[in-house]
Amino acid sequence: MTSQEDRPAGVFLAFEGGEGAGKSTQVARLEAWLTAQGRTVRTTREPGATVIGGTVRQLLLDPSTVGLSSRAEALLYAADRAQHVHEVVRPALEAGDVVVTDRFVDSSLAYQGAGRTIPLEDVRSISSWATGGLLPDLTVLLDLPPETGLARARGRATADRLEAESLEFHLRVRQTFLELAAAEPARYLVLDATAAPDEVAEGIRTRVTELLA
Ligand code: TMP
């Protein structure tokens, strides 16, 4: 947790969660609500928010990518993140915008750390170097059982390389997201993603209102 001291002016929100948790729906709803309040909002995502990141995303998620080592995977997610922070997140925060990202550092801790069983501290230090220590002001964790989320995600499209991992992998991912949130309750909002989308959106608006006050 370095260089929060050179933290730019805007507000930084991240959405995290397993597959099929409804992050993109809730990011879009929050964006619409904040914009209606007169805020300038920059919604973004990982991996793949930049042109360079788009190439990295394709490599990472294409099921035809075979033989990628866990360490190489972790570094590619970190490379995407470094470019994302450099090109999108920091400039928008410096302009005073509200930046809402669909996934950030915690996804690497959960998927590469717990999922691939790379020591969490190694993943944290790679990510921290990639971001220059930048962390969200608030992370919204949309929590749901992986059985439910994977069924939702697989109903939409063919499974990408990470979705195609075992249920045990996704159970470790969920557990780690919950542990990260439990360790720092002031920086997290955990919501039950099996609830109705309206209810989830209301919970997010309440907490974001407090944060922006
Ligand atoms: P998405 O489907 O939410 O866009 O996310 C892409 C996939 O990449 C998803 O399965 C989670 C995974 N992922 C990681 O494994 N590590 C990371 O650091 C990030 C940002 C995503």
Side-chain angles (χ1 to χ4, degrees):
M1 211 186 287
T2 55
S3 69
Q4 289 288 316
E5 60 276 4
D6 59 27
R7 188 77 172 72
V11 177
F12 187 23
L13 308 174
F15 280 68
E16 297 281 9
E19 314 300 325
K23 291 181 286 84
S24 38
T25 304
Q26 293 299 336
V27 166
R29 290 184 67 149
L30 181 62
E31 177 186 27
W33 180 74
L34 285 169
T35 304
Q37 314 249 309
R39 297 269 176 177
T40 304
V41 185
R42 180 69 165 90
T43 60
T44 185
R45 68 165 181 176
E46 291 189 0
T50 63
V51 172
I52 291 165
T55 307
V56 177
R57 179 183 174 92
Q58 196 183 345
L59 185 60
L60 281 165
L61 299 188
D62 190 338
S64 70
T65 298
V66 287
L68 183 66
S69 76
S70 298
R71 286 173 187 238
E73 180 182 285
L75 289 167
L76 285 170
Y77 276 110
D80 169 77
R81 182 162 302 128
Q83 191 64 27
H84 183 213
V85 167
H86 168 76
E87 205 177 307
V88 178
V89 180
R90 267 195 192 271
L93 289 174
E94 274 157 15
D97 297 351
V98 179
V99 177
V100 183
T101 186
D102 183 337
R103 299 195 181 280
F104 199 59
V105 173
D106 288 0
S107 279
S108 283
L109 295 170
Y111 284 81
Q112 281 65 57
R116 300 288 187 217
T117 68
I118 298 175
L120 239 56
E121 283 320 307
D122 289 354
V123 180
R124 203 187 285 280
S125 95
I126 293 163
S127 258
S128 173
W129 188 77
T131 62
L134 182 70
L135 288 172
D137 297 294
L138 175 70
T139 295
V140 177
L141 173 58
L142 299 182
D143 175 59
L144 86 172
E147 294 89 331
T148 312
L150 287 167
R152 281 187 191 173
R154 285 172 186 161
R156 284 198 301 253
T158 50
D160 66 33
R161 214 174 51 83
L162 277 289
E163 278 166 16
E165 281 299 329
S166 66
L167 180 60
E168 289 65 34
F169 177 101
H170 290 284
L171 286 166
R172 292 198 296 278
V173 167
R174 180 193 193 188
Q175 183 61 28
T176 296
F177 275 135
L178 288 171
E179 285 169 11
L180 291 169
E184 282 185 90
R187 287 206 314 112
Y188 286 83
L189 170 67
V190 183
L191 292 171
D192 174 4
T194 64
D198 282 352
E199 201 182 310
V200 175
E202 177 61 31
I204 295 167
R205 286 198 295 267
T206 302
R207 182 66 179 266
V208 171
T209 301
E210 284 166 22
L211 180 74
L212 297 178

